[in-house]
Amino acid sequence: MPRPAATDAAAFYQYYISLTTETEALQALHNQHTEIEGLFSDVSPALLQHAYAPGKWTLAQLLQHVMDTERIFSCRALWFARGSNDPFPGFDENAFAANAPATHRSHTALRQEFICLRASTLHLFESFTASDWQRGGIASGSFVTVNALAFIIAGHFRHHLKIIRERYL
């Protein structure tokens, strides 16, 4: 599917969508495989427990956040692609981080999970029909389409990759 229209997602998601340069959602998600691999090549195991400032997440927590968010956005996409008209609730990213501190996670475990998660995300979106991609619904109190969710996942990763490069590495 092509880039989403401005009406396909709430204004607060437009920033994430804008971080994708690709014209197709699947292409954006697929192209990030190299970025994910590169990220884990740049990150040492010791750096995972580093927070760039007091009160900020460790790098392991940030990576866990990116994965948790990808799962939630993928679930939203599945929810709407399958025709559910029920609203999908929001989530508190800080509560999730507090309940998944990621301090026990190894570099290898985080890397493998992220690679598997992205492959799973790609398989899910590849399974959608053209009409599935156009469906949408209410998530976190705002309308969003399946297509926009794919771009949001890609943009959310790029947003955090930028933060990692600027503040952790």
Side-chain angles (χ1 to χ4, degrees):
M1 291 294 296
R3 295 184 66 75
T7 56
D8 288 347
F12 56 87
Y13 287 127
Q14 297 304 321
Y15 169 71
Y16 294 137
I17 294 169
S18 76
L19 293 178
T20 61
T21 56
E22 295 85 356
T23 57
E24 296 285 331
L26 287 174
Q27 181 184 25
L29 292 169
H30 189 273
N31 287 350
Q32 289 181 345
H33 177 76
T34 304
E35 290 175 288
I36 293 167
E37 286 283 0
L39 168 63
F40 282 95
S41 294
D42 293 342
V43 170
S44 70
L47 190 59
L48 288 175
Q49 302 313 316
H50 171 71
Y52 68 87
K56 295 297 182 180
W57 292 339
T58 66
L59 182 53
Q61 287 175 300
L62 180 65
L63 292 168
Q64 187 68 59
H65 160 75
V66 173
M67 290 187 288
D68 286 350
T69 302
E70 183 160 331
R71 283 187 172 100
I72 290 167
F73 288 169
S74 294
C75 189
R76 288 176 179 176
L78 176 65
W79 189 258
F80 300 131
R82 297 297 188 253
S84 178
N85 293 319
D86 296 325
F88 198 96
F91 73 104
D92 180 342
E93 63 190 40
N94 291 310
F96 270 52
N99 288 307
T103 56
H104 65 289
R105 306 293 311 275
S106 72
H107 183 273
T108 301
L110 286 166
R111 179 184 168 277
Q112 288 174 338
E113 181 181 351
F114 207 143
I115 290 167
C116 289
L117 172 61
R118 181 48 63 93
S120 177
T121 299
L122 277 163
H123 286 299
L124 174 66
F125 280 93
E126 288 168 348
S127 76
F128 294 153
T129 65
S131 60
D132 292 338
W133 282 87
Q134 295 171 4
R135 290 190 179 114
I138 303 299
S140 295
S142 299
F143 180 78
V144 65
T145 64
V146 170
N147 183 45
L149 285 162
F151 279 94
I152 292 166
I153 290 168
H156 183 257
F157 171 72
R158 288 238 169 94
H159 164 72
H160 285 292
L161 183 60
K162 181 179 179 202
I163 289 171
I164 290 167
R165 288 183 174 146
E166 291 174 354
R167 300 178 188 171
Y168 289 89
L169 298 179

